């Protein structure tokens, strides 16, 4: 791997990006901490809801743990199951003082993932209590340490020599989308942990909110005490998020870093309760881009704070940060991440490792002493990504794409690695490839993607199988089901005898496709279709999802189906078997067996307008689908909201022949009536997506006029149109445009020109009448699949254009991308005004395109913010 160098694509920070020098005279975390503890022994080091500990006491506590570990004569890494607690931090520091490598893990991970990390590291497991140890297999439990049992050694400082910048931590990914990958970090990185916050000082009170298994969680805690500040622990996972705003005020927090979504919810909760956090000096906004409204809310909630957008990775540590000034608006697209700090060298290189000029995009390479050592027990990947220099500095290829602007600002623009979009979701092909190779019977796998007509990708795998241990498609899919999300599982598997290579040693992908000998055989124990109906349904499943074959117990959605492919499935079933199913019929059970069984059941004359999406108990949330869509659109959201009973509305005429509603008001009235059948008294919670957002807004207005309580209205990028002309004026303008177009195409006053214009107008009239008849026949003329979707799309578009929405001043959450808020701001301010305009609207910025909001994984962000919004709202209103 060549190392780029040179001024044209390298940048160091200026004085404004210098950080804190308090811990820098020391080489290791224990040395730096001892110096701070000796200087301020009586100052509070950490505080949680139940306890606090001074620097002196924490030093003695971690010393005792270190000395106990040393008596064990065991130098294996500590695999620490680490809830956000003082005790976890004491074990962490004790391990470092004993010269041990520490791998903090999330207590929410399955036990199997803990044991996998133990195996990978050949480590010693440490759990927080006996309950956690009791969940382990007997042979593992005997070798497992319990945190509180380690505090019995002498409290004097252990005599251990730790080399400068020795390995300190291994941070593992969860393995939810691939094998757990461990990044090895030295003592140099924690020394820079709080450098994102310029001027952090000993008197600061730092909110420690992230799980300790994340590098941000551990580095924040370590960095806090290395400068002598006071760390306040709040567990975002098990804590009560609704109480977080009050906690920030009570604890007089001065520094905090969180995702844009959570910060936005906290800011709005503070504004709604007329409170501010006056003590806050710095707020770090991570995870996604913030909108102007987001920063305006943050300035009101944290009036004395500066805001920053950080950049860094587990492999790099802090690299840069962008300060948002008191009047700055984040209008740049893509946004800058600031100038690099002066202790790192940042270069931009092309695919060959050569420097690119300023202003040209390439891969970001970061060099510095705090850069990670590499990946645990993955020498090939480490050699691909990292370079070690003679002076001890290391360079890492980040995989991030970016450039330097002429003003020296670093700008990001996506990733350079093997990530593709599948059904709107990002899939890392390298991770999928690794998981396939871990399956029994697979010797080698090459995973690639095939472009689809909708500009997406279909994941396919070529595998070399063990002839002595035949493997089947069903076995592969079942094996991957616990390792990968459904959309990342390859849609097709092809058996090859070997992986062909080019003269340069790279995979010859062209020859690979040509040498594929066909799909793998089906599994022997797999339940084959047992009758004509099941065979027909399985065949349609396979055709719609581009699979080789489908078993009786395979679920349509688990195989990769979504609300759009459901349309093709229903059309295929209609053509194959001549029967009609509704999309909502697939919400309960979407296996081949269940769908085939449903085909022989007598059709019901009446279908409920409000369809139950999940089987949860709790308050109801009523969801309106987008234009020409079905209740299936909310299947993922329903699964993400375990404390709510989620219902979704079906548009009249889409699933059974019926005259559809001819206005947004009529759709809203029908939905309100159906909602009252489920919940007669409220209070009501309504959510609408796209066109459904307009319907949901009208539903909320009708309920409010009727005297009902609309507790929350959530809108996902609502399509809000405010026509400034009447329907008659619009028709006249349309006719005038057609007439002017005919005049321009056939000018002149002679008879020939007049006849040509008349014919052109006549053709337009016929086309217009045919289009009107087409839309007017929606729901009446039987159509299937995409034809039914298209006619209702046109109908809903016309209803939207004809609708005149009215202002709603209740509690509203609006979810959208920064680009959406920028474009829709004037309309939103008029229809759902923010507090400054007499309303109660909260804007929640989320990542992804319009279609991504109701799909995995983006829908998870919507669900979290929605749950938090409802919780805060209920707390503010009090018990009913």
């Amino acid at each position: 791997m060549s190392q780029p160098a040179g001024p044209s694509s390298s940048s160091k920070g200026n004085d404004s990006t210098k950080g804190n020098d308090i811990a820098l005279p020391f080489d290791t975390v224990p040395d730096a901490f001892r110096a701070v503890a000796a200087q301020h022994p009586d100052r509070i080091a950490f505080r949680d809801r139940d306890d606090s500990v001074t620097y002196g006491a924490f030093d003695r506590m971690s010393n005792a743990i270190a000395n106990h570990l040393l008596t064990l004569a065991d130098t294996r890494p500590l695999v620490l199951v680490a809830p956000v607690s003082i005790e976890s931090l004491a074990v962490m520091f004790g391990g470092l003082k004993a010269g041990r490598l520490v791998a903090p893990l999330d207590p929410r991970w399955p036990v199997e993932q803990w044991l996998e990390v133990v195996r990978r590291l050949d480590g010693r497991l440490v759990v927080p209590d006996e309950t956690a140890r009791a969940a382990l297999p007997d042979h593992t439990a005997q070798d497992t340490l319990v945190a509180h049992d380690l505090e019995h050694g002498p409290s004097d400082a252990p005599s251990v020599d730790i080399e400068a910048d020795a390995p300190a931590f291994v941070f593992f990914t969860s393995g939810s989308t691939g094998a757990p990958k461990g990044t090895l970090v030295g003592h140099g990185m924690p020394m820079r942990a709080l450098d994102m916050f310029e001027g952090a000082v000993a008197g600061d009170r730092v909110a420690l909110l992230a799980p300790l298994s994340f590098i941000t969680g551990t580095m924040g805690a370590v960095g806090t005490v290395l400068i002598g500040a006071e760390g306040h622990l709040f567990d975002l996972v098990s804590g009560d998020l609704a109480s977080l705003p009050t906690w920030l005020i009570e604890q007089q927090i001065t520094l905090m870093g969180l995702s844009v979504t959570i910060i936005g919810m906290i800011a709005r909760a503070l504004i709604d309760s007329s409170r501010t956090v006056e003590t806050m000096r710095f707020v770090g906004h991570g995870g996604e881009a913030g909108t102007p409204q987001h920063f305006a809310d943050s300035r009101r909630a944290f009036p004395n704070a500066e805001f920053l957008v950080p950049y860094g990775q587990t492999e790099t540590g802090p690299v840069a940060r962008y300060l948002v000034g008191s009047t700055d608006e984040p209008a740049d697209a893509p946004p800058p991440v600031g100038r690099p700090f002066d202790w790192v060298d940042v270069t931009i290189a092309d695919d060959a490792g050569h420097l690119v000029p300023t202003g040209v995009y390439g891969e970001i390479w970061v060099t510095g002493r705090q850069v990670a050592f590499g990946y645990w027990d993955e020498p090939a990947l480490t050699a691909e990504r990292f370079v070690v220099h003679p002076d001890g500095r290391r360079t890492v290829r980040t995989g991030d794409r970016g450039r330097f602007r002429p003003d020296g600002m670093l700008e990001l623009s996506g990733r350079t690695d093997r990530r593709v979009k599948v059904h709107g979701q990002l899939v890392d092909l390298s991770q999928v490839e690794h998981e396939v190779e871990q399956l029994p019977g697979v010797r080698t796998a090459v995973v690639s993607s095939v472009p689809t007509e909708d500009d997406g990708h279909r994941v396919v795998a070529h595998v070399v199988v063990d002839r002595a241990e035949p493997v089947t498609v069903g076995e592969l899919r079942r094996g991957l089901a616990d390792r990968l999300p459904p959309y990342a599982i390859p849609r097709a598997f092809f058996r090859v005898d070997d992986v062909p290579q080019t003269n340069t040693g790279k995979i010859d992908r062209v020859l690979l496709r040509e040498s594929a000998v066909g799909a793998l055989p089906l599994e022997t124990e797999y339940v084959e279709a047992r009758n004509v109906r099941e065979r027909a349904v399985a065949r349609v499943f396979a055709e719609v999802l581009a699979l080789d074959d489908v078993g009786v117990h395979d679920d349509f959605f688990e195989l990769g189906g979504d609300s759009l492919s459901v349309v093709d499935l229903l059309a295929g079933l209609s053509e194959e078997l001549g029967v009609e199913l509704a999309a909502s019929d697939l919400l309960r059970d979407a296996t081949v067996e269940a769908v085939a069984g449903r085909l022989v059941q007598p059709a019901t004359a009446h279908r409920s307008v409000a369809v139950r999406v999940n089987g949860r108990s709790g308050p109801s949330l009523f969801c309106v689908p987008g234009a020409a869509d079905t209740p299936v659109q909310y299947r993922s959201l329903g699964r993400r909201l375990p404390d709510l009973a989620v219902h979704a509305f079906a548009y009249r005429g889409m699933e059974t022949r019926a005259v559809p509603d001819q206005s947004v008001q009529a759709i809203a009235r029908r939905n309100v009536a159906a909602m009252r059948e489920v919940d007669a008294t409220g209070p009501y919670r309504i959510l609408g997506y796209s066109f459904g957002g307009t319907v949901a807004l009208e539903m909320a207005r009708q309920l409010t006029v009727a005297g009902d309580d609309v507790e929350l209205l959530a809108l996902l990028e609502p399509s809000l149109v405010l026509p400034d002309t009447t329907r008659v004026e619009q028709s006249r303008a349309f006719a005038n445009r057609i007439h002017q177009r005919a005049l321009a195409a056939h000018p002149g006053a002679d008879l020939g020109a007049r006849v040509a214009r008349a014919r052109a107008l006549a053709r337009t009239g016929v086309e217009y009448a045919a289009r009107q008849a087409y839309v007017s026949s929606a729901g009446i003329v039987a159509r299937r699949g995409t034809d039914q979707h298209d006619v209702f799309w046109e109908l809903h578009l016309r209803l939207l254009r004809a609708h005149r929405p009215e202002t709603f001043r209740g509690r509203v959450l609006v979810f959208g991308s920064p680009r959406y808020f920028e474009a829709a701001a004037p309309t939103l301010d008029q229809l759902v005004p923010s507090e400054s305009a007499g309303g109660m609207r909260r804007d929640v910025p989320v990542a992804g395109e319009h279609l991504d909001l109701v799909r995995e994984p983006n829908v998870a962000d919507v669900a979290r913010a929605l749950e938090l919004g409802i919780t805060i709202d209920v707390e503010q209103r009090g018990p009913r």
Side-chain angles (χ1 to χ4, degrees), residues 157-178:
S159 179
V160 178
D161 292 328
I162 303 173
E163 294 182 1
D165 197 28
F169 296 101
V170 186
F171 292 99
F172 277 88
T173 61
S174 67
S176 59
T177 58

Side-chain angles (χ1 to χ4, degrees), residues 619-820:
S620 293
L621 174 68
F622 296 92
C623 304
V624 188
D629 222 311
T630 67
V632 171
Q633 191 172 61
Y634 289 108
R635 185 175 185 270
S636 293
L637 181 64
R639 299 172 75 176
R640 290 281 187 176
L641 295 172
D643 298 325
L644 296 175
V646 179
H647 305 258
F649 297 105
Y651 290 112
R652 178 175 169 83
M654 273 204 68
E655 299 191 335
T656 56
R657 291 178 64 181
V659 178
D661 297 304
Q662 296 300 309
S663 68
V664 170
Q665 292 92 333
I667 298 175
R669 282 195 297 271
R670 188 181 300 278
N671 289 352
V672 167
M675 189 165 56
R676 293 188 193 281
E677 293 180 5
V678 178
D679 185 350
T681 60
Y684 296 108
R685 302 172 184 85
I686 310 170
L687 180 145
Y689 165 67
S690 194
F691 170 75
T694 301
V695 177
L697 179 61
E698 174 61 21
M699 292 171 61
R701 188 196 66 80
Q702 292 182 11
L703 287 165
T704 303
V705 170
D708 291 292
D709 184 5
V710 178
E711 185 173 84
L712 182 68
L713 173 63
L715 305 177
L716 311 185
E717 291 200 352
S719 302
L720 303 174
V721 177
L722 286 174
D724 54 7
T725 57
T726 65
R727 290 296 304 278
V728 173
E729 290 171 336
Q730 293 174 26
S731 298
R732 286 175 179 170
F734 173 76
N736 184 62
R737 287 196 301 272
I738 297 301
H739 183 250
Q740 293 300 322
R741 193 181 304 161
L743 282 174
H746 307 284
D750 59 281
L751 180 60
R754 292 178 181 179
V755 170
R757 285 198 294 271
R759 288 175 175 171
L761 291 172
R763 283 195 301 272
T764 301
V766 170
E767 292 172 359
Y768 180 78
R771 194 66 183 171
Q772 289 293 106
Y774 172 74
V775 177
S776 299
S777 66
I780 302 172
V781 175
R783 294 184 175 89
R784 296 189 297 270
T786 55
D787 290 337
Q788 182 77 333
H789 177 274
D790 290 346
V791 70
F792 268 86
W793 177 272
E794 183 69 23
L795 172 64
H796 289 163
L797 187 61
R798 295 191 179 191
L799 299 186
L800 178 64
R801 289 172 176 165
H803 181 59
R804 291 180 171 275
E806 297 184 29
T807 300
F808 179 76
R809 299 186 183 278
R811 295 184 179 274
V812 182
L813 290 181
V814 180
F815 297 82
S817 66
R819 183 168 54 185
Y820 171 82

Side-chain angles (χ1 to χ4, degrees), residues 17-366:
T17 57
K18 287 185 178 180
N20 311 293
D21 294 329
I22 295 177
L24 295 185
F26 303 95
D27 292 325
T28 67
V29 170
D31 288 342
F33 175 74
R34 286 192 192 99
V36 177
Q39 186 176 0
H40 308 290
D42 298 325
R43 178 180 292 168
I44 296 296
F46 295 110
R47 186 189 301 273
D48 59 24
R49 293 201 169 195
D50 302 318
D51 200 3
S52 65
V53 61
T54 64
Y55 273 83
F58 188 78
D59 189 30
R60 293 188 294 274
M61 184 179 180
S62 53
N63 283 345
I65 293 172
N67 287 316
H68 183 87
L69 291 172
L70 290 171
T71 63
L72 300 178
D74 182 354
T75 60
R76 286 180 294 173
L78 294 182
V79 180
L80 173 62
V81 179
V84 180
S85 68
I86 293 174
E87 188 173 61
S88 293
L89 291 170
V91 175
M92 184 182 296
F93 273 77
L96 295 178
K97 288 181 175 182
R100 304 283 282 276
L101 191 62
V102 180
L105 303 185
D106 193 327
R108 297 171 299 169
W109 288 3
V111 170
E112 292 74 18
Q113 289 177 263
W114 299 350
L115 301 182
E116 173 63 15
V117 173
V118 171
R119 184 193 67 78
R120 293 278 301 277
L121 285 175
D122 187 23
R124 187 79 178 268
L125 186 62
V126 182
V127 294
D129 49 42
E130 290 292 348
T131 301
R133 181 155 65 178
L136 300 170
D138 291 340
H139 66 281
T140 304
Q142 295 173 2
D143 191 47
T144 297
L145 304 172
V146 178
H148 61 74
D149 292 339
L150 299 178
E151 302 173 20
H152 304 306
S155 61
D156 54 323
S159 179
V160 178
D161 292 328
I162 303 173
E163 294 182 1
D165 197 28
F169 296 101
V170 186
F171 292 99
F172 277 88
T173 61
S174 67
S176 59
T177 58
K181 182 173 67 176
T183 303
L184 184 61
V185 171
H187 283 256
M189 191 179 290
M191 301 294 187
R192 299 292 186 184
L194 288 191
D195 282 324
M196 289 293 181
F197 301 99
E198 180 183 3
V201 296
D204 275 313
R205 301 164 71 88
V206 185
L208 302 176
L209 305 162
L212 297 178
S213 58
F214 293 177
I215 189 169
T216 52
T218 290
M219 294 298 98
V222 174
T224 295
V225 292
L226 291 192
I227 66 168
E230 186 172 308
H232 291 249
L233 305 174
F234 187 102
D235 191 345
L236 283 176
V237 175
S238 61
D240 180 9
L241 290 180
S243 66
L244 184 53
T246 301
W247 180 83
L248 294 172
I249 296 173
E250 292 176 345
Q251 302 304 314
Q252 301 179 42
I253 299 300
T254 62
L255 303 181
M256 175 180 72
L258 277 173
S259 70
V260 165
T261 297
I262 300 299
I263 291 174
M265 299 302 297
I266 295 171
R268 289 308 309 173
L270 288 165
I271 293 170
D272 289 345
S273 59
S274 300
R275 295 179 296 171
T276 57
V277 184
E278 301 286 338
T279 56
M280 192 72 72
R281 297 198 306 117
F282 270 103
V283 178
H285 301 248
E288 61 257 301
T291 65
Q293 182 64 51
H294 166 81
F295 283 99
D297 288 345
S298 295
R299 290 185 186 108
R300 293 182 62 188
F302 312 109
N304 301 316
E306 292 188 76
F307 306 131
L308 57 90
V309 179
Y311 172 59
Q313 298 180 345
T314 304
E315 292 86 347
T316 65
V319 173
R321 54 101 186 271
Y322 174 56
L323 288 175
V324 181
S326 60
T327 60
D328 293 343
E329 301 294 357
D332 293 292
V337 293
R339 294 180 179 84
F341 295 112
D342 59 358
W343 59 85
V344 293
D345 287 329
V346 176
T347 54
I348 311 296
D350 60 20
D351 292 341
H354 301 139
L355 289 174
V356 299
T358 297
V360 176
Y361 284 106
E363 184 177 11
I364 298 173
W365 294 30
V366 177

